[in-house]
Amino acid sequence: MAILQVAQTFLGANTQKNPKTNLPEGVGVDARNMDTTHSDLRGLPAADVAYTFTSGIAQQISLYRIGRNTASDSQYWITRSVDADFVRSLIAEDTTERTYTTDGTKPKYTDNTLLGGSEPYPASWVDTGVPYPDTDMTATETTPGTGTEEIRVYLDTFLRANGDESAPNPTTTTITVNPNSVVTLNSFDPVPSGSHGITKRRIYCSTDGGEFQRIAEITSGTASHVDDLTRGSVLQTGGSTSKPAWLPPPDNLIGLISLWNNMIGGFVDKSYRICEAGYPHAWPIEYEGVLADTIIGSAKFGTTWVLCTSGVPYIVTGSTPGGMRDQPVYFDRGGCVSKRSVAGVGHGVCWASNRGLCYFGQNGPRVLTEDFIDETTWQALAPSSIIGTRWRQYYIGFYYNGTDRKGFMIDTANPAGVIWLDQGAYGVFYDTLTDSLHLLQAHSAGPSTQPIRKWASGSALNVTFKTEKTRTRVETNPSVAMVVATTYPVTYKLYADGSLMHTKTVTSREPFRLPGGYVARDFQQEVSGGTGPIEAIVLAEEMVDLP
């Protein structure tokens, strides 16, 4: 007579190890929709509808909330039908909440003056970069001066109303005149077409090889200007070897990320790029780094930027844009296969590879799933489809395998097993202001609307847990079981030697009889359907064996 199996710790599932080989305590072969934060078995709260966005016909897959000074589930959602990244401005004096985005076509920004009054937000975007003038102006001496001749070199820049200034015109205009000579400047390069917000032009002059100093700030449509020898501030956006030119970011820049020390990063193919600190519109080519493999995605922890490539990952560290340095992490199983899977989890960064969920951080490089998800199961998730995010101590991945759009959850600090999720998503947004996670769901036909769901905000989901296989020394026939729970009903199943032997709807903690007429050596129990909490599942040979 004996208790054959007791399950009272519930951590997750393991598909890697043989279920007969004594899995770690609390780990079964199936764990679904579990909330493990209470040391019992209960259903994770569902992601409930927090807002419904009228998004047009196309399915939206990227999500961001502008209006970061106010905690809200409704104001103001920006969605995109393509993979896009969003970063808030790191400009101290910015009162408009300038928000930048990249999607592989052209980096752009919006702010609360461009939002508009109705969905879809925003009403308009502005190109992130400020193009520079690239043809020379004309300089004519109109009032001669006296004294020893001097050489003046003129150039101009374009300026936005918000103060963003372009790189200097690479085509300068030189004139040799006497000191005090008045020079008239005209034939300026016209403002190029596009959504760049240019409203003004600044003109600078260098005399006898000195610094370029501002001589004028004029409206962009002004046809000429007279240099009356007034001199102002020194040009900062280029013009010398010590000042890298503030070029626009590459049109195909993606992966925009907020770093530290007022820096923003991104990448193109094998190169990573960093903006001028505090100036998100300016991306000097001198701040580019080139890696051996294509960069797929990136995230950060602390002051370490992790670049997940098609080969090994790299880390980038430093305190200034020109002082950033990269080095490889020797991790032969770490090739990233999904840009959207890359997510910072506080103490490190996680991403999907073909071998499993990879991690690099304070605990070093590792494949978090290698002990509990076999490669066949992992491949069935379609790793290249995974969208990753953080929630509490977990990494949550949503996948689409061609049939199902579901998810999984893994404790990144103590990865004992996987929790499978019946909820899926097209896109995610983790709101640091409210410590909440939001999911983009499928849009509906008719009036094309798209719900935004707030993670773990609804009623508890139906939970499932199936234990490991417990092998007895001799064949036996268990006669009794018990489910200790706070709420009922719970569906109970008993498996013997791999076959389902009994199913029962349990309505109380009273022990119940099991069918006879067979003997077996391998036993598994499963509970499902209830929302929990469930404290224990007990299988015994006789009623007297129960605690």
Side-chain angles (χ1 to χ4, degrees):
M1 306 296 181
I3 292 178
L4 302 180
Q5 187 181 65
V6 177
Q8 53 188 358
T9 301
F10 309 95
L11 299 177
N14 189 312
T15 67
Q16 175 69 274
K17 295 182 178 179
N18 189 317
K20 299 178 184 178
T21 58
N22 294 322
L23 297 180
E25 183 181 1
V27 177
V29 299
D30 190 19
R32 197 165 301 275
N33 301 327
M34 282 174 36
D35 181 353
T36 64
T37 59
H38 303 278
S39 300
D40 55 26
L41 178 61
R42 66 177 68 190
L44 186 73
D48 208 1
V49 174
Y51 190 71
T52 300
F53 188 87
T54 304
S55 60
I57 299 300
Q59 173 69 51
Q60 305 293 289
I61 65 171
S62 298
L63 178 68
Y64 181 83
R65 191 179 71 81
I66 194 170
R68 313 288 300 137
N69 293 328
T70 303
S72 174
D73 291 334
S74 60
Q75 294 180 328
Y76 297 91
W77 289 109
I78 299 173
T79 63
R80 304 286 305 280
S81 61
V82 296
D83 175 31
D85 298 284
F86 302 88
V87 165
R88 183 176 179 177
S89 160
L90 299 179
I91 303 170
E93 65 273 17
D94 175 29
T95 60
T96 63
E97 196 178 339
R98 217 179 306 170
T99 301
Y100 295 83
T101 184
T102 54
D103 60 12
T105 53
K106 178 173 279 193
K108 42 192 167 288
Y109 79 86
T110 191
D111 59 32
N112 57 30
T113 70
L114 302 171
L115 271 182
S118 62
E119 297 174 347
Y121 299 116
S124 60
W125 297 92
V126 176
D127 294 346
T128 293
V130 183
Y132 52 84
D134 60 4
T135 62
D136 58 345
M137 67 187 78
T138 298
T140 305
E141 183 182 37
T142 52
T143 304
T146 60
T148 304
E149 288 184 333
E150 64 185 16
I151 299 174
R152 297 185 198 173
V153 180
Y154 293 94
L155 57 76
D156 54 345
T157 65
F158 287 139
L159 187 71
R160 279 203 276 247
N162 63 16
D164 290 347
E165 186 175 7
S166 76
N169 191 332
T171 306
T172 59
T173 297
T174 302
I175 186 171
T176 301
V177 294
N178 294 323
N180 303 316
S181 295
V182 176
V183 174
T184 298
L185 307 169
N186 49 33
S187 299
F188 300 123
D189 188 29
V191 173
S193 60
S195 301
H196 40 62
I198 293 171
T199 59
K200 295 183 180 180
R201 184 190 311 270
R202 284 177 175 171
I203 304 173
Y204 295 84
C205 180
S206 168
T207 302
D208 289 336
E211 292 271 22
F212 281 96
Q213 292 180 278
R214 189 193 308 171
I215 67 169
E217 181 176 296
I218 59 178
T219 62
S220 57
T222 300
S224 66
H225 177 75
V226 175
D227 178 8
D228 61 0
L229 306 179
T230 300
R231 297 294 182 262
S233 59
V234 172
L235 172 68
Q236 297 297 315
T237 66
S240 68
T241 56
S242 63
K243 297 176 184 176
W246 290 12
L247 301 175
D251 283 355
N252 56 345
L253 186 77
I254 59 174
L256 209 63
I257 181 173
S258 177
L259 297 174
W260 49 90
N261 291 353
N262 282 354
M263 295 184 291
I264 292 174
F267 56 88
V268 177
D269 297 327
K270 297 193 298 181
S271 69
Y272 61 89
R273 301 290 296 270
I274 301 168
C275 78
E276 186 73 30
Y279 298 92
H281 73 284
W283 295 72
I285 191 65
E286 288 82 353
Y287 302 158
E288 177 185 47
V290 181
L291 308 182
D293 297 298
T294 300
I295 302 169
I296 306 298
S298 80
K300 69 173 182 178
F301 68 99
T303 54
T304 298
W305 186 16
V306 180
L307 300 172
C308 304
T309 79
S310 56
V312 300
Y314 283 73
I315 59 173
V316 178
T317 56
S319 58
T320 63
M324 301 289 267
R325 297 294 180 265
D326 60 73
Q327 65 181 83
V329 177
Y330 295 102
F331 187 21
D332 59 359
R333 295 170 293 173
C336 183
V337 297
S338 169
K339 172 183 175 293
R340 303 182 79 200
S341 73
V342 185
V345 292
H347 52 84
V349 171
C350 293
W351 67 94
S353 77
N354 278 321
R355 299 286 297 275
L357 183 67
C358 295
Y359 165 93
F360 178 78
Q362 295 173 4
N363 298 322
R366 56 193 298 202
V367 180
L368 293 181
T369 54
E370 64 181 343
D371 288 336
F372 52 83
I373 300 181
D374 64 279
E375 287 194 32
T376 299
T377 301
W378 179 255
Q379 288 298 321
L381 305 181
S384 62
S385 74
I386 291 175
I387 305 166
T389 186
R390 61 172 293 190
W391 181 67
R392 296 179 181 172
Q393 76 270 31
Y394 299 102
Y395 175 94
I396 299 179
F398 297 103
Y399 64 88
Y400 178 61
N401 59 14
T403 303
D404 297 315
R405 195 173 293 276
K406 295 185 178 180
F408 61 88
M409 189 164 67
I410 293 169
D411 187 328
T412 60
N414 299 291
V418 60
I419 299 170
W420 302 110
L421 304 171
D422 289 333
Q423 301 174 102
Y426 284 82
V428 298
F429 172 68
Y430 180 74
D431 193 335
T432 55
L433 184 64
T434 57
D435 190 27
S436 59
L437 175 63
H438 292 81
L439 316 180
L440 263 176
Q441 300 293 290
H443 74 79
S444 61
S448 186
T449 59
Q450 188 160 18
I452 297 171
R453 293 182 180 270
K454 188 174 183 179
W455 184 256
S457 63
S459 302
L461 295 165
N462 288 337
V463 67
T464 297
F465 184 81
K466 188 175 183 180
T467 68
E468 64 174 323
K469 289 184 178 179
T470 296
R471 171 163 285 191
T472 60
R473 287 180 296 175
V474 296
E475 291 184 328
T476 187
N477 175 213
S479 67
V480 65
M482 180 173 63
V483 177
V484 180
T486 301
T487 59
Y488 297 92
V490 174
T491 300
Y492 173 89
K493 294 181 180 180
L494 174 65
Y495 295 82
D497 288 345
S499 298
L500 177 62
M501 302 304 298
H502 186 60
T503 301
K504 179 178 177 61
T505 299
V506 181
T507 58
S508 74
R509 65 177 299 159
E510 293 298 317
F512 52 90
R513 292 290 181 180
L514 300 171
Y518 72 93
V519 290
R521 291 189 63 185
D522 294 326
F523 297 96
Q524 288 175 284
Q525 301 178 92
E526 177 183 299
V527 288
S528 63
T531 58
I534 297 171
E535 288 85 30
I537 318 164
V538 186
L539 178 68
E541 287 187 307
E542 298 292 347
M543 189 72 72
V544 295
D545 298 323
L546 294 175

